[in-house]
Each structure stands twice: as C-alpha cells, then as structure tokens.
C-alpha cells in the first residue's frame, strides 16, 4: 500500500530517529558552510596566482586585515566567552530536547520474541545495511577495521602539502571527493537507508509504502558462477579419481578468482587515472612514495568494492562473486 | 546624694551602654558600608584572590595570567590567532564534543545511583527512574540525547578537521588519536544501549554482537574459525558477552565497559588529544594560503615513516 504518510511520521518521529533527522539537516548545512568558505578562499588563490606582486604583500586570508592590527588576541575573554556561550546554547538545546522527547523504553528484553526489524543503533546502521551485500565477516569485521585503518593512514598518504589550515576545494580536489564519497555516500546515506527504507525482514520499503510483515522476497540472487554455468564437469576430467566428486566446488573456487583479479586490475587502473587527471594531481602523484601509492590503491580498491557490489546486486542480482567452502565474497 | 549618686551611677551605666551601642552601631555601619562597597569589586577580595591568584583587571599581563594560572583554563594558550576564534573555522565541534562528554559523565554518575546491572533489577530501575525519581525522566533523557548529540558532533568535528586539511603535518598523529576517540565514542554509546535491558537494546546488541561470530579466524562462523576450533562457547563473541547469548553476564560486562573502562580510556585519550593540539602549534588555522608555485621540490626519496615530525 502506498501513500502511507502516517507510517512515515511514525518512523521520523521515533525519538531514537531524531538524531538522523537532525543529521539530514546538519550535514548538508555544514557541507554548504564549508563550500562557501572553500570557494571564497579559492577565489583569493586564483587572484594571487595571477598577480604575483599582490601575492607578496597580501595577508593571504579571506578575512579583513589592516596593518597595525594584532595578529593574536587574548584567549580570555575573546575565545572563552564563545566557549561559555556554546556550552550554554548546547545545554539549552539539550534541556528542551529532553523535556519534549522521551528516551525510548520498550518491553523488557525477551529472547523469545524477535523484534522485526531488529535494528542496530542508528550510528551502526551503515554496517547493518552492508550486510545486505556482504557476508557478516566482511560487513561486520573487515569493513569496520578497514574504515578505522583507512582514516588513520590519511595523514600519512596525503602527499599534497597545500590546503593545510584553511578551507579550499581547488587545491585538494581528489582528497575532498574521496572523503565526501566515503562519508556521505558510504556512511551517512547508508544510515538513512537503514533507518527510513528498511522494514521487516530488512526488506526495501519506499517511504509511504506500508510495512508488510507477511511480504516474502524470493531469493532470486544468484552467484556469478551459476550465471556463467560453472558446474565442474569440465574440470572433472582433469582431476584424479579421489577428487572427482568435489570438482564443482573446486571449479567454483578457481573460477571466482578471475573476476576478482579483473576487478582489482580495473579498479586500480581507474584510481590511477583519477590520481593523474590534472597537471596538479600528476605533480602530487610524483611526490608519493611507492609505499604511499600501494596503500592508497589497496584501500581505495577495497572501498570501491562496496558500491560495485551494490551495483552488481541491483543490476544483475548477483549474490557472490567468489564462492569457496570457507568463505564467499 | 547617695540617692543621686546611685541615680547618677545608674544613668551613667545606661548612658554608657547606650553610648557603646551607638558607637558599635556606627562602627558596624562604617565597616559594613566599606565592605559592601568592596563587594562591588569582588575581584579585590581575599577570597577571590586566593582562588584565582591574579588580579582581575584588563591589563594584557593579567588577562594572560588568568588563563595560565588556572588548571582548567591553561589547556588554552594565553593568546590565539585572531581569526581562529571565528566560529566559521572550527565550528566549535571539538569543544562541543568535550562538553557533551562532561555532561554525560555528570548525568551518568547520577544515573548510576539508581541503577543495578542485574537482570532482575535493571529494567525496573529504569521504570523507577522514569516514574518515581524526582527529575529521573529528565536525567535519563538528557543522558540519552547528549550521547546521540556527541556522536553527531564527533563526526562533524572530524569532517571539519578533514576539510581544513588540519591532519597534515605536524598534526598527523593527533588525527589518529582522534580516530581512536571516535571509535571509543561509538563504543560508549553502544555499550550503553543494552543497559535498560529492554527489547530495543537487547536486539540491537544481539544484531551487533552476532557479527562477531563471523570474525575471521576468531569467530565460530567466520572464515577458518571452525577449522581453528572455534565454537559458540569459546570464540570472540563469547568473550564479549560472557556467554553464548545476551544475558546477565553480557549486561554486567556492558555496564563495566560503559561506566568504567571506556570512559577512563577515552578521558586519557582526550588528555593526549588536547595536549597535542597545543604541542602541535595550536589550532591549525585559518592560516595564510599557500600557492601551488610555492611547493618545495622534494629532493631524493621521501621516508614517510622515518621523517621526524613536528617541523615543517
Ligand atoms: C571525543 C572526541 C573528540 C574530542 C573531545 C575532540 C576535541 C578536540 C578539540 C577541543 C579540539 C580543538 C579544536 C576544535 O575544537 O576543533 C580538537 C582538535 C583536533 N581534533 Fe579533535 N576531538 C575529538 C575527536 C576527534 C576526531 C574523531 C578526529 C579526527 C579523526 C580529531 C582530530 C583532531 C585534530 C587533527 C585536531 C587539530 C585541529 C586543528 O589544529 O585545526 N578529533 N579536538
């Protein structure tokens, strides 16, 4: 049933979902806020680049400056009054929020009564949403680990010395697009989908579409080897007698390596191209050490695998690329 | 005469008392006036000076000293880049995150007075808190919403640090400390989710910890887990929950992680984080823009890992 606005309201107004609704406003606001400052700086940079004489004398900030002004101000009171003000405002917001909205409390925990849908806390919904496309060991363990490692290596692989301490877009295009892609698409949007779109059985319900607890989705997803028709009959001729029975399994395990290797090569090449898109990015690329390049490649190839797998699932209904007896990807 | 004298004596005493009283009144009035006058400048009182140690006036020296001689304020430098106090640069998100951590500690300690981490009591304690404890509901709401806000603030803080390129040399390591802080913040929130012992927390934590089953090598359903002898009774999930299902032991473990271990670890990392902000040269900007033509050519190979940090 469509047009179920009541349910939309029920989801949106659930107290625990308020942070996500807030996120829907806050994130675009701060993206805009940062862009505005970045573009202002970029205009200044463009101006200074075309006018070397000005570059020598300009104070190089977008903020007003007059000769004779102090470059530094006292923390007390100029910074601390802002801090105290911020604390007061946050306290007021928190008070109003706490008076108007109650923290949820459901029935006592009952292992025999499954919640449907059983959702993780909202900040982990991105990972839970990943479970649709990957097995739990990837979505729940490998990906989070990679996110943490990936974030931590950023400072050590970014060879671009520009844009340290000011907002800019022109000077850091690649870094900014990569981060925005990861943060907005692969994290925030996944959370929003997990909150507002996923219903019972973790099935896809568009907003205003009523959650149907009896809906069944038939498993139409197939593995790549099934689509290609790998059944091991061909391999069976090559194997010794003792292994003949398991030839389908072995055939699949061997077959799956090929598309994966193909993906890694294609993705790595794509990333290489993007890294060398402009004269500036080629310059930065030259500054990178081999270790830095390899690290960036490995992490970005792994990061890209998520949207690629999502596309494969949505377009071709592919479940696994590589099936082995121990794990599947 | 004696009568008179006696009378005189009596009136003398009375007069003396009256006089003394008058003098005393005058004395007190004078003193009181003086002291009331003094209270108009509380910063000149002995009490004030004993606490703040420096005179409070608007000389640059004393403005600097009032920051440097205060344990809480001296996390700050005495002076700061004039543009760095603008909201537009830092969005105040690091400070707000820290303030929310303080609010959470405060409300959390109050909540601990009413909460027992046992299967029998936990849920009832929440009901009691909501319905009978004065301001109990407000207390619980504030703790909950401050936790959510803190997560949003941490993400926005990380976002702004990224967009201003503040992780670049010499602040690489502080960025890593920050990443750990973010993970700790998420874990704090997650461990707290189970404590009300209701359906919401129970299933969220069940879903969350079920993923641990699939840990490669260490989970009984993970790749090569079974081959390494992992069962539901000895894998990482068992270690996290103190059992094979989310039950009394899991509640106790969540409680201890949530109320003692993680806050302690997070506080230590926050100390390091703030200290490093100062040692790395204070807040990164807004700094003068650098032009492409000013990039120094690198000579020879660049040892990423071995280069001494802290210099530009
Ligand atoms: C509990 C969490 C955190 C707290 C309480 C915290 C607090 C702060 C504070 C108060 C500052 C001063 C400047 C400002 O307010 O922006 C700061 C700066 C900084 N934070 Fe955090 N932070 C946290 C998490 C993080 C995270 C998740 C990251 C990055 C992944 C990070 C990286 C940094 C860096 C690199 C600076 C220096 C920025 C500059 O110099 O402009 N912090 N932090």
């Amino acid at each position: 049933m469509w047009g179920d606005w009541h349910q939309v309201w029920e989801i949106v107004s659930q107290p625990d979902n308020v942070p996500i609704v807030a996120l829907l406003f806050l994130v675009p606001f701060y993206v805009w806020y940062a862009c505005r400052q970045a573009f202002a700086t970029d205009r200044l940079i463009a101006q200074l680049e075309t006018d070397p004489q000005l570059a020598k004398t300009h104070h190089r900030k977008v903020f007003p400056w007059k000769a004779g002004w102090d470059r530094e101000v006292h923390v007390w009171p100029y910074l601390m009054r802002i801090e105290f003000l911020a604390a007061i405002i946050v306290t007021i917001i928190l008070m109003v929020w706490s008076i108007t909205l109650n923290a949820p409390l459901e029935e006592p925990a009952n292992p025999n009564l499954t919640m449907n849908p059983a959702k993780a806390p909202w900040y982990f919904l991105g990972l839970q949403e990943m479970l649709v496309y990957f097995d739990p060991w990837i979505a729940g363990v490998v990906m989070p680990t990679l996110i943490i490692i990936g974030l931590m290596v950023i400072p050590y692989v970014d060879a671009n010395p520009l844009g340290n301490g000011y907002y800019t877009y022109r000077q850091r295009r690649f870094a900014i697009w990569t981060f925005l892609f990861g943060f907005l698409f692969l994290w925030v949007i996944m959370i929003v989908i997990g909150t507002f779109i996923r219903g019972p059985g973790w099935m896809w319900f568009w907003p205003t579409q009523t959650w149907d607890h009896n809906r069944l989705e038939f498993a139409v997803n197939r593995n790549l080897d099934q689509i290609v028709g790998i059944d091991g009959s061909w391999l069976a001729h090559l194997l010794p007698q003792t292994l003949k029975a398991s030839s389908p399994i072995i055939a699949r395990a061997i077959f799956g390596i090929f598309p994966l290797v193909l993906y890694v090569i294609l993705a790595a090449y794509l990333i290489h191209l993007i890294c060398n898109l402009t004269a500036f990015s080629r310059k930065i690329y030259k500054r990178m050490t081999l270790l830095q390049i390899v690290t960036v490649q490995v992490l970005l190839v792994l990061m890209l695998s998520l949207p690629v797998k999502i596309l494969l699932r949505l377009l071709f209904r592919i479940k696994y690329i590589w099936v082995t007896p121990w794990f599947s990807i | 005469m004696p009568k008179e004298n006696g009378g005189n004596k009596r009136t003398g005493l009375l007069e003396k008392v009256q006089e003394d009283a008058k003098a005393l009144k005058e004395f007190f009035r004078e003193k009181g006036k003086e002291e009331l006058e003094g209270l108009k400048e509380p910063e000149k009182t002995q009490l004030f000076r004993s606490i703040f140690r420096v005179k409070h006036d608007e000389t640059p020296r004393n403005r600097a000293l009032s920051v440097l001689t205060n344990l809480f304020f001296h996390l700050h430098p005495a002076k700061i880049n004039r543009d760095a106090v603008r909201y537009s640069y830092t969005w105040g998100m690091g400070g707000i995150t820290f303030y929310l951590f303080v609010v959470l500690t405060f409300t959390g300690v109050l909540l601990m007075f009413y909460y027992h981490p046992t299967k029998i009591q936990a849920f009832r304690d929440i009901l009691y808190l909501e319905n009978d404890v004065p301001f109990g509901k407000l207390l619980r709401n504030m703790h909950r919403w401050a936790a959510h806000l803190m997560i949003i603030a941490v993400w926005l803080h990380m976002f702004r640090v990224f967009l201003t390129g503040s992780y670049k040399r010499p602040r690489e390591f502080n960025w890593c400390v920050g990443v750990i802080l973010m993970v700790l913040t998420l874990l704090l929130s997650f461990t707290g989710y189970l404590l009300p012992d209701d359906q919401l927390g129970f299933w969220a934590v069940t879903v969350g910890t079920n993923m641990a089953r699939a840990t490669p090598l260490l989970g009984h359903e993970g790749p090569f887990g079974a081959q390494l002898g992992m069962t539901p009774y000895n894998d990482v999930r068992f270690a996290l929950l103190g059992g094979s299902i989310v039950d009394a032991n899991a509640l106790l473990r969540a409680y201890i992680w949530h109320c003692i271990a993680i806050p302690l670890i997070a506080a230590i990392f926050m100390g390091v984080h703030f200290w490093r902000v100062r040692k790395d040269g204070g807040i990164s900007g807004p700094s003068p823009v650098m032009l492409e033509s000013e990039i120094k050519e690198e000579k020879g190979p660049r040892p990423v890992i071995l280069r001494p940090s802290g210099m530009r």
Side-chain angles (χ1 to χ4, degrees), chain A residues 81-153:
Chain A
R81 68 178 178 198
I82 299 177
E83 291 178 348
F84 286 128
L85 193 66
I88 291 170
I89 293 173
V90 172
T91 311
I92 291 173
I93 292 175
L94 206 55
M95 274 286 178
V96 171
W97 189 356
S98 303
I99 290 169
T100 50
L101 270 181
N102 285 328
L105 186 67
E106 302 269 334
E107 299 290 304
N110 184 351
N112 301 316
L113 190 70
T114 316
M115 292 258 283
N116 192 8
K119 291 195 179 184
W122 64 272
Y123 37 86
F124 285 149
L125 282 183
L127 300 178
Q128 201 177 358
E129 176 65 17
M130 246 187 260
L131 278 176
V132 176
Y133 307 101
F134 286 112
D135 276 354
W137 67 277
I138 299 183
V141 185
V142 175
M143 284 295 186
T145 312
L146 281 175
I147 294 173
I148 296 170
I149 294 177
L151 283 173
M152 294 229 244
V153 301

Side-chain angles (χ1 to χ4, degrees), chain A residues 227-241:
Chain A
I227 295 175
V228 179
I230 302 291
D231 57 3
S233 55
W234 183 74
L235 183 72
H237 300 298
L238 300 173
L239 289 174
Q241 199 60 40

Side-chain angles (χ1 to χ4, degrees), chain A residues 83 151-152 164-165 179, chain B residues 89-99 101 150 153-155 157-162 164-168 171-185 266 270 273-274 276-277 280-285:
Chain A
E83 291 178 348
L151 283 173
M152 294 229 244
N164 185 346
F179 196 83
Chain B
Y89 185 68
T90 65
W91 308 345
M93 280 304 161
I96 290 175
T97 310
F98 177 63
Y99 177 65
F101 181 74
M150 183 170 167
V154 171
W155 288 352
H157 173 58
M158 178 171 80
F159 191 42
R160 107 66 201 156
V161 170
F162 182 86
T164 54
S166 302
Y167 58 83
K168 299 189 179 197
R171 296 182 180 78
E172 304 100 317
F173 183 69
N174 214 16
W175 167 272
C176 296
V177 173
V179 173
I180 292 170
L181 276 172
M182 180 182 69
V183 174
L184 289 175
T185 307
M270 275 182 213
H273 194 60
F274 300 154
R276 283 300 296 239
V277 170
D280 293 341
I283 222 72
S284 58

Side-chain angles (χ1 to χ4, degrees), chain A residues 16 30 37 60 70 73 75 83 91 98 103-104 106-107 110 137 151 158 160 162 165 167 171 326, chain B residues 76 78 80 82 87-89 99 140-141 144 164 167-168 175 193 197-199 214 227 290 294 298 302:
Chain A
D16 258 0
Y30 278 107
Q37 297 182 66
R60 297 200 174 198
D70 288 335
V73 293
V75 159
E83 291 178 348
T91 311
S98 303
E106 302 269 334
E107 299 290 304
N110 184 351
W137 67 277
L151 283 173
D158 187 345
N160 179 359
L162 299 185
Y167 291 92
Q171 294 185 330
W326 310 283
Chain B
H76 297 89
I80 182 174
R82 70 177 292 125
Y87 180 79
S88 63
Y89 185 68
Y99 177 65
R140 176 164 183 249
N141 290 349
R144 181 82 160 206
T164 54
Y167 58 83
K168 299 189 179 197
W175 167 272
Y193 219 64
D197 197 27
D198 65 342
Q199 281 284 72
Q227 286 83 345
M290 182 175 164
E294 291 160 354
E298 298 272 328
R302 215 158 69 96

Side-chain angles (χ1 to χ4, degrees), chain B residues 6 8 13 43-44 83 112 207-208 214 236 254 262 298:
Chain B
N8 265 351
L13 191 65
E43 64 274 11
K44 297 248 164 79
D83 299 313
M112 282 173 81
V207 169
V236 269
I262 306 181
E298 298 272 328

